[in-house]
Amino acid sequence: ALYHGKRHRRGTVNIFTVDHDTQIQRDAAVEIALRKADLERELVVVFQPIVDIASDRTVAFEALARWKSVALGDVPPTQFIPIAERSGLIGRLTVILLGKALAAARHWPDTIRLSFNLSAHDLCSPQIVLQIIQMLNDAPIETSRIDLEITETALLHDMEQVQEAIRMLKLLGCSVSLDDFGTGYSSLSHLHALPFTKIKIDRSFVQGMDSKPASYKIVKSLLALTRDMGIDCVVEGVETVEEMSLLRELGGKMVQGYYFSRPMEEKDIAGFLADRARP
Ligand code: C2E
Ligand code: CA
Ligand code: CA
Ligand code: CA
């Protein structure tokens, strides 16, 4: 009702719903709050385990950003990351988050790797790339234990810059993963053109694997493809025991999802690892 009059005054066929207007205002508020926030303090990193199916061991944790905004309350990354990307703030966030993730990882057993999400926007900024490289170089853990995840929808930026950045990150010793595989425009051509060490199969394919034959077949084929290509593969969003047993049957390598754990705070990692090590 609040927006009814406004819609009328525009006098056009309006595809915007009330929700859309609200969304635009909310986005603007998020951007303003991001600019004003003490991000060093308000940004937090949580960690979700990645498990090797064959050995049933935790092999890595993926760092996931949380923003405990003083002004807005908790804002999910699905909301603030795209806004940070659009408004040119993402580089600052990435640097802060990487610092926190590395600081946490220094306390982990050295069999455990760190996965960290980079925005393709980061890779298009030479200044941010340089800063990231410096941080990785000075990192408290070996770069060979660091895995950088890049979402494929974002790869449509400046392919040459992204390619160059990926090459440098690999030269440093890091692995580079193609995240959300299968959800972008040209998954296979990205896999072909860029030297990824790993793909992460998006959870949309996994959920429904046991009910939708198409989902099942896609996951099956992707697992076969990565095996053939000799690259690693993580299946994301595994929630149920049924999904887990299907993935085992199909020879899946690594899995991540609520089935094992939701993202956890840094302080809970040691306990989680100890619990899982018990027979
Ligand atoms: P992502 O990189 O694909 O991360 C996986 C997301 O799936 C996480 O959501 C995780 O909590 C969620 N998830 C994990 N297992 C399950 C499951 O079994 N079921 C379901 N339904 N969800 C599951 P989250 O933490 O909300 O992050 C959302 C997205 O935000 C990430 O997707 C990533 O694209 C972005 N993001 C998060 N942290 C960062 C960051 O530090 N930097 C950048 N650039 N992006 C980030
Ligand atoms: Ca990721
Ligand atoms: Ca993903
Ligand atoms: Ca995602």
Side-chain angles (χ1 to χ4, degrees):
L2 183 59
Y3 290 91
H4 199 79
K6 211 161 105 195
R7 279 213 299 274
H8 262 287
R9 273 195 303 279
R10 281 196 195 118
T12 51
V13 177
N14 204 319
I15 56 161
F16 289 169
T17 62
V18 169
D19 278 351
H20 190 94
D21 282 346
T22 313
Q23 186 58 44
I24 287 171
Q25 287 172 2
R26 172 89 189 163
D27 285 2
V30 168
E31 183 179 337
I32 291 166
L34 267 179
R35 288 186 191 279
K36 285 191 185 158
D38 178 359
L39 291 175
E40 274 289 352
R41 228 174 48 204
E42 296 180 17
L43 284 177
V44 175
V45 181
V46 291
F47 299 90
Q48 189 180 34
I50 298 174
V51 173
D52 179 79
I53 295 184
S55 65
D56 197 38
R57 307 283 286 201
T58 302
V59 290
F61 285 93
E62 178 177 5
L64 293 160
R66 297 291 178 263
W67 180 23
K68 302 190 177 305
S69 165
V70 169
L72 301 173
D74 291 357
V75 185
T78 45
Q79 184 168 27
F80 73 79
I81 297 283
I83 294 171
E85 289 177 334
R86 280 202 297 277
S87 55
L89 295 165
I90 186 70
R92 231 187 103 217
L93 270 69
T94 298
V95 166
I96 293 171
L97 292 164
L98 181 58
K100 294 192 178 207
L102 290 171
R106 83 180 309 153
H107 304 295
W108 302 349
D110 61 14
T111 50
I112 299 210
R113 305 164 61 86
L114 167 69
S115 280
F116 183 82
N117 293 286
L118 286 180
S119 162
H121 289 78
D122 295 329
L123 300 185
C124 292
S125 156
Q127 193 198 330
I128 295 297
V129 171
L130 209 67
Q131 225 174 326
I132 291 171
I133 287 178
Q134 228 153 44
M135 292 179 79
L136 294 171
N137 231 346
D138 300 341
I141 66 171
E142 296 286 329
T143 48
S144 60
R145 285 173 54 201
I146 300 173
D147 210 333
L148 301 165
E149 302 189 0
I150 301 163
T151 301
E152 77 161 343
T153 45
L155 282 176
L156 306 163
H157 288 260
D158 187 336
M159 272 296 267
E160 254 167 56
Q161 289 232 40
V162 170
Q163 207 161 353
E164 187 53 36
I166 290 177
R167 227 179 260 124
M168 286 195 280
L169 295 168
K170 283 189 72 178
L171 276 175
L172 267 181
C174 300
S175 314
V176 183
S177 304
L178 184 48
D179 204 350
D180 298 348
F181 190 83
T183 60
Y185 283 107
S186 44
S187 307
L188 290 174
S189 67
H190 285 143
L191 192 57
H192 191 237
L194 299 164
F196 289 105
T197 21
K198 186 170 83 191
I199 66 167
K200 298 189 80 172
I201 300 180
D202 192 70
R203 70 163 180 268
S204 55
F205 298 111
V206 180
Q207 291 172 357
M209 237 182 109
D210 41 2
S211 54
K212 279 196 228 110
S215 305
Y216 175 84
K217 284 174 185 162
I218 288 171
V219 173
K220 182 179 170 185
S221 309
L222 290 179
L223 290 174
L225 175 72
T226 50
R227 262 197 307 275
D228 272 2
M229 289 181 76
I231 60 176
D232 272 338
C233 181
V234 175
V235 180
E236 291 191 294
V238 180
E239 292 184 357
T240 66
V241 65
E242 289 80 14
E243 287 159 2
M244 203 43 222
S245 60
L246 285 177
L247 290 168
R248 231 180 238 117
E249 262 170 48
L250 293 177
K253 192 143 186 277
M254 286 176 277
V255 275
Q256 178 179 359
Y258 295 168
Y259 176 73
F260 295 97
S261 170
R262 297 203 169 230
M264 66 186 88
E265 290 176 41
E266 183 187 350
K267 66 170 171 55
D268 296 325
I269 288 180
F272 173 83
L273 291 174
D275 278 352
R276 280 192 50 86
R278 263 192 278 282

